[in-house]
């Protein structure tokens, strides 16, 4: 029996999308994510610095860092004052997580309940990438 399109769709499952950030220094960026946001360095290429790649993981969330020597991310925030996000992270326990980072210079927007029901706050990493941490509460 030949599988139908419906059968093939049932067998196929997208699992995750992983933000991939270009950075000038993979090692220092990876250490920042570890120290301030609790990510673990799950893998690097090569095994020793200077790295050209790193995978960072925390609680099922993954970020990838790719080296591009001399790269500086353009700041486009003036073009969209409502916000420009590079990664949107859904989570549980946002109040506790926020309490560990509040007061840090990298917190761009404080924890706030949004009109659509999510609690959110934003951080800016050392390369200018904006991550939103969000928890939907009912």
């Amino acid at each position: 029996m030949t599988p139908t399109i419906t059968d093939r769709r049932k067998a196929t499952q997208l699992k995750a999308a992983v933000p991939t950030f270009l950075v000038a220094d993979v090692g220092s960026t990876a250490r920042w994510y570890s120290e301030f946001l609790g990510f673990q360095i799950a893998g690097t290429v090569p095994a020793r610095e200077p790295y050209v790649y790193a995978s960072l993981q925390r609680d099922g969330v993954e970020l990838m860092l790719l080296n591009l020597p001399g790269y500086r991310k353009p700041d486009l925030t003036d073009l969209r004052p409502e916000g420009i996000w590079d990664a949107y992270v859904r989570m549980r326990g946002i109040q506790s997580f926020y309490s560990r980072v509040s007061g840090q210079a990298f917190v761009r927007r404080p924890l706030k309940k949004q009109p659509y029901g999510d609690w959110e706050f934003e951080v800016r990493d050392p390369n200018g990438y904006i991550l939103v941490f969000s928890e939907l509460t009912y």
Side-chain angles (χ1 to χ4, degrees), residues 22-25 51-52 66-72:
L22 292 172
V23 299
D25 187 333
Y51 305 128
V52 297
L66 299 176
N67 178 249
L68 184 59
Y71 182 74
R72 291 179 51 110

Side-chain angles (χ1 to χ4, degrees), residues 55-69:
S55 169
L56 309 175
Q57 297 180 4
R58 179 180 174 165
D59 305 324
V61 171
E62 182 179 10
L63 302 173
M64 291 184 187
L65 306 175
L66 299 176
N67 178 249
L68 184 59

Side-chain angles (χ1 to χ4, degrees), residues 13-48:
Q13 180 185 18
L14 301 180
K15 301 287 261 172
V18 180
T20 305
F21 300 155
L22 292 172
V23 299
D25 187 333
V26 171
S28 68
T29 301
R31 286 187 293 278
W32 184 90
Y33 275 90
S34 178
E35 180 181 347
F36 292 106
L37 300 180
F39 280 81
Q40 294 191 349
I41 301 170
T44 61
V45 175
R48 290 200 161 111

